[in-house]
Amino acid sequence: MAEPAVRDEKDRVRVFDTTLRDGEQSPGISLNKQEKLEIAHQLARLGVDIIEAGFPIASPGDFEAVQAIAREVHGPVICGLARANAQDIDAAWNAVKDSEQPRIHTFISTSDIHIKYQLESTREDVKGQARASVAHAKQYCDDVEFSPMDATRSELEFTAEVLQIALDEGATTINVPDTVGYSMPDEYAAMWEELYRLVPDLHEVVTSVHCHDDLGLAVANSFAGIRAGCRQVECAINGIGERAGNASLEEIVMLLRTREQAHGLWTGVETTEIARTSRLVSRLTGYQVQPNKAIVGRNAFAHESGIHQDGVLKERTTYEIMDATTIGLEANSLVLGKHSGRHALRKALEELGFKVEGAALNDAFKRFKELADKKKKVTALDLEAIVSDQMRETPAAFVLESFDVEASSTRSPLATARVRLPGGEISEGSFTGDGPIDAFFSALNAAVGYEARLKEYHVSAVTGGRDALGEVTVLIEYHGKTISGSGVSTDILEASGRAYLRALTNAIEESPVAEAEHHLEEAVHTPAP
Ligand code: KIV
Ligand code: ZN
């Protein structure tokens, strides 16, 4: 569908991406600073208007990641989340203040069920906290967003009162969330119409939708809110988020784009970056995209039945309402081979949006050559996979040096693994197991000296063909927390080892118990002065 020549600014819907905040709250997702930065850079390339980069008070790691994004990612507004208290708001401000366009997002629940059981407070108190928090945020930052949490289960008149308070204190965006995914599209739209009537000042600010998918209605509810006048949509790549997730960014954006002639609404998203962003988020979070997921599922543009195939071959639009190239599928014909040099690789990476220089380029070139030796044609998908895999190697990580796995149908498997520890020393572990992967992961536990348990193991191919790169994602449990990791290689065992060590690195970085164990070890091994 051709885009209209002239678009009205009042019909532009701002895209507020919360993949790194609400999305990162999903069980098992735990991104480190580098991974969050990589996603944030890609979100900027995608052209989202606002990146909610995290919840800075939650942990020092969260704070540092939001701060790094604020400093290094240009284009979008960078937003930090804060509960309605001064300490949270101070942390959020300190994390985002170096951004060219900082925003503080503060929230408090307005439903009686939350006020009574969770906050153990009163409506009067909620009003006071809303007033104080927006006023406090406003001292730092012009751009302040306020959300009444669990609004769709709140008494509307009370929510309206709280919103008026937030507006009086200078909130510039009002977001009314369907926190538990309870609303229905007509109900959510009617709620907005009533709020506009009760709080006419809402017409002077940006109003925003934030819908969860517990009943599978997140996108439908978000769309209903936009139709009712809201001009910001909060959403996440691949629809990740608390419980059933948030409205999926790719779905709401493509709905606005594909049916623009019917509703007249539009976004500034560069839709050709959608497929790539989805792959990156899936790879780094370990959350696989279901095959039939709208827009980004691998079957979203596949035609199985003979009648459909016949139709599409004659005329694509017989069974396709979107062109796959508009979301960045099938667009990249870039191919390198084993004779391609460093210059060609750098150019190809630049085309893909990676700026890789110096030592990082040398490492990328080494991995590219290894791959090109095994695989005739190295495609854009391969390069994207190996470079984003390599970008995750940090000095603080456990690195797989080498391994030996013996498997047979007549004896128990035996694995030996050598791992480079963050301090640079090499540690070796050997173990048997129920199967080769079990033995390998136990050997890795032995080498690094931490005991984690494998919960899930997935393997997929980056491209088609027997020589394809394999991508492994693992979910491990460590001290009650579930953490994911992924790795890429032409050798599935190597990809598995990389994935497992990444998950272990993340688990240990996150775990106070691991820290304590580590200090205890040091104390035991360090002689008293
Ligand atoms: O779902 C929700 O209510 C939230 C708020 C913090 C906006 O995520
Ligand atoms: Zn939410």
Side-chain angles (χ1 to χ4, degrees):
M1 212 57 73
E3 288 174 15
V6 187
R7 284 161 151 173
D8 200 329
E9 199 50 35
K10 76 172 178 26
D11 298 326
R12 177 189 165 108
V13 178
R14 290 161 189 77
V15 174
F16 176 112
D17 180 276
T18 188
T19 306
L20 293 173
R21 200 279 298 167
D22 212 315
E24 221 252 345
Q25 284 170 218
S26 317
I29 298 186
S30 149
L31 301 164
N32 62 29
K33 179 167 113 186
Q34 201 152 336
E35 292 166 339
K36 287 182 185 170
L37 258 171
E38 196 182 339
I39 291 177
H41 278 297
Q42 180 56 28
L43 290 171
R45 249 178 250 132
L46 178 66
V48 306
D49 299 278
I50 302 110
I51 296 176
E52 187 165 50
F55 192 9
I57 195 82
S59 71
D62 257 55
F63 180 92
E64 278 173 35
V66 177
Q67 188 175 54
I69 292 169
R71 289 178 177 168
E72 292 175 37
V73 176
H74 307 288
V77 169
I78 307 297
C79 173
L81 184 69
R83 284 166 301 187
N85 66 62
Q87 222 190 349
D88 275 39
I89 291 167
D90 291 348
W93 173 245
N94 284 324
V96 298
K97 68 181 177 199
D98 294 336
S99 161
E100 286 151 4
Q101 304 179 76
R103 173 181 294 187
I104 299 172
H105 176 191
T106 185
F107 70 97
I108 189 161
S109 294
T110 48
S111 69
D112 288 331
I113 197 164
H114 279 206
I115 296 173
K116 182 170 172 200
Y117 296 107
Q118 191 181 12
L119 302 179
E120 296 178 12
S121 180
T122 60
R123 284 187 178 191
E124 274 318 296
D125 221 48
V126 165
K127 286 199 274 184
Q129 284 187 55
R131 184 182 304 285
S133 60
V134 176
H136 190 62
K138 245 349 229 198
Q139 286 179 341
Y140 295 130
C141 188
D142 279 343
D143 189 346
V144 173
E145 173 168 334
F146 175 77
S147 299
M149 199 181 198
D150 202 20
T152 53
R153 294 192 301 166
S154 306
E155 187 192 275
L156 198 69
E157 288 69 22
F158 178 61
T159 304
E161 251 186 277
V162 176
L163 295 187
Q164 187 62 61
I165 289 170
L167 289 166
D168 291 343
E169 296 304 326
T172 42
T173 298
I174 294 289
N175 173 53
V176 180
D178 182 25
T179 303
V180 290
Y182 181 66
S183 207
M184 297 180 286
D186 51 352
E187 200 178 35
Y188 194 59
M191 177 202 76
W192 275 107
E193 276 153 26
E194 192 56 7
L195 284 175
Y196 276 118
R197 194 183 67 75
L198 293 169
V199 190
D201 287 352
L202 281 174
H203 290 285
E204 309 306 319
V205 296
V206 176
T207 47
S208 167
V209 297
H210 177 116
C211 299
H212 280 267
D213 208 29
D214 299 67
L215 293 172
L217 289 172
V219 170
N221 285 336
S222 301
F223 184 57
I226 295 168
R227 296 274 265 179
C230 299
R231 288 295 177 268
Q232 175 177 288
V233 57
E234 304 202 353
C235 45
I237 300 293
N238 300 338
I240 60 173
E242 281 282 3
R243 306 179 311 281
N246 284 92
S248 135
L249 180 145
E250 56 279 7
E251 290 178 25
I252 191 80
V253 165
M254 287 313 288
L255 165 61
L256 295 185
R257 180 181 163 134
T258 308
R259 301 304 311 277
E260 184 175 346
Q261 285 189 347
H263 50 61
L265 301 161
W266 57 284
T267 74
V269 167
E270 176 48 63
T271 59
T272 54
E273 290 290 331
I274 284 179
R276 182 164 161 213
T277 317
S278 164
R279 287 194 297 269
L280 179 69
V281 169
S282 169
R283 179 171 288 141
L284 297 191
T285 57
Y287 268 47
Q288 313 267 321
V289 174
Q290 90 196 45
N292 60 330
K293 159 100 174 55
I295 319 294
V296 292
R298 69 167 183 271
N299 294 344
F301 292 89
H303 303 278
E304 186 65 21
S305 90
I307 297 175
H308 287 211
Q309 285 175 352
D310 178 57
V312 169
L313 286 175
K314 288 177 177 149
E315 166 54 43
R316 186 189 60 76
T317 54
T318 50
Y319 289 95
E320 278 186 4
I321 59 164
M322 293 167 276
D323 185 336
T325 57
T326 60
I327 65 152
L329 285 174
E330 299 162 15
N332 233 314
S333 52
L334 184 155
V335 176
L336 297 180
K338 71 174 180 191
H339 299 298
S340 306
R342 202 177 293 261
H343 182 64
L345 176 68
R346 194 179 45 202
K347 266 199 80 190
L349 291 175
E350 264 171 27
E351 236 177 82
L352 291 171
F354 294 111
K355 235 179 139 42
V356 185
E357 311 276 1
L361 181 63
N362 290 344
D363 290 345
F365 190 62
K366 195 165 150 248
R367 280 198 78 180
F368 159 70
K369 280 288 176 195
E370 282 164 11
L371 180 61
D373 271 344
K374 294 182 185 153
K375 202 171 182 286
K376 248 193 179 152
K377 288 181 183 163
V378 178
T379 65
L381 285 182
D382 295 319
L383 285 183
E384 185 185 294
I386 56 171
V387 171
S388 84
D389 187 68
Q390 178 205 318
M391 280 165 87
R392 273 170 278 153
E393 308 268 87
T394 64
F398 297 125
V399 178
L400 183 65
E401 282 286 310
S402 62
F403 62 90
D404 201 322
V405 178
E406 287 172 22
S408 142
S409 57
T410 52
R411 319 183 290 279
S412 294
L414 173 68
T416 302
R418 280 161 58 81
V419 176
R420 184 153 32 88
L421 305 178
E425 62 278 33
I426 304 292
S427 176
E428 191 171 297
S430 292
F431 233 88
T432 56
D434 290 338
I437 294 290
D438 185 40
F440 188 20
F441 288 174
S442 298
L444 290 171
N445 278 347
V448 299
Y450 289 98
E451 197 61 39
R453 195 173 68 80
L454 182 68
K455 281 186 77 177
E456 278 180 35
Y457 176 86
H458 298 278
V459 58
S460 56
V462 172
T463 55
R466 290 182 68 166
D467 57 0
L469 271 175
E471 182 156 27
V472 171
T473 305
V474 299
L475 217 57
I476 63 167
E477 192 177 281
Y478 183 73
H479 283 292
K481 269 201 104 175
T482 308
I483 312 268
S484 71
S486 62
V488 171
S489 171
T490 44
D491 180 325
I492 289 300
L493 281 170
E494 186 179 321
S496 305
R498 282 172 179 273
Y500 193 78
L501 287 178
R502 287 217 174 100
L504 258 180
T505 305
N506 286 348
I508 282 146
E509 270 175 6
E510 284 235 329
S511 165
V513 183
E515 275 270 293
E517 273 176 2
H518 181 69
H519 290 310
L520 191 68
E521 280 253 302
E522 267 182 350
V524 170
H525 291 107
T526 313

